[in-house]
Amino acid sequence: IIFVILFYSTQVQDSIKFNQIERFAKKVISAAESTFYSGEPSKTTINGYIPNGVTDIQILEDSITLEDSIVFTVSSASGTSIIAYKSNVPIEMSTISPISTSSGLKKILITAQSNKVLIGQSS
């Protein structure tokens, strides 16, 4: 019985973790799209929660579609997962203040530039 309880408990924890990541990504992408369409020099700051287990956050461009995505590498009970969330506007991670992978509440600064949106962690 204890094994079954631990098994389901781990699955529930992983489900919560992936839901928190999805909520964070959608919030960032939505704010980035709004900021991009508002144009330069628009800025916005949002708060989002990064759960424990996120080991990497990148913004990558698909070489075929040329669409940008926020990509999370996550450790879970079932192993390592890589999850990508597509953006409809060009986005780029700030090299000065990238989003930290440590768990907790993050203040994210989103800044419109002439041809993209810069995403970084605000202090």
Side-chain angles (χ1 to χ4, degrees):
I1 294 176
I2 291 174
F3 176 74
V4 171
I5 291 171
L6 288 174
F7 175 76
Y8 284 111
S9 171
T10 304
Q11 283 186 325
V12 168
Q13 289 173 350
D14 284 347
S15 178
I16 291 170
K17 180 187 306 186
F18 288 115
N19 285 336
Q20 289 171 329
I21 292 168
E22 180 176 8
R23 204 169 23 246
F24 178 84
K26 286 184 176 184
K27 193 173 190 180
V28 169
I29 289 170
S30 176
E33 289 172 354
S34 294
T35 304
F36 179 80
Y37 291 121
S38 295
E40 189 176 22
S42 297
K43 291 182 182 183
T44 190
T45 303
I46 60 168
N47 293 315
Y49 181 78
I50 299 281
N52 194 22
V54 175
T55 58
D56 191 30
I57 303 171
Q58 297 180 43
I59 295 178
L60 300 175
E61 181 182 62
D62 184 317
S63 60
I64 297 169
T65 64
L66 301 178
E67 293 175 332
D68 294 333
S69 297
I70 298 178
V71 181
F72 296 85
T73 304
V74 185
S75 294
S76 66
S78 58
T80 301
S81 300
I82 297 174
I83 310 163
Y85 298 92
K86 184 181 76 110
S87 171
N88 293 317
V89 298
I91 55 177
E92 186 176 296
M93 184 77 74
S94 169
T95 55
I96 298 170
S97 57
I99 301 171
S100 166
T101 58
S102 62
S103 64
L105 190 62
K106 307 290 180 196
K107 191 178 215 179
I108 308 299
L109 177 64
I110 299 169
T111 307
Q113 296 185 333
S114 61
N115 59 348
K116 65 185 172 203
V117 175
L118 199 60
I119 299 171
Q121 188 167 326
S122 180
S123 50

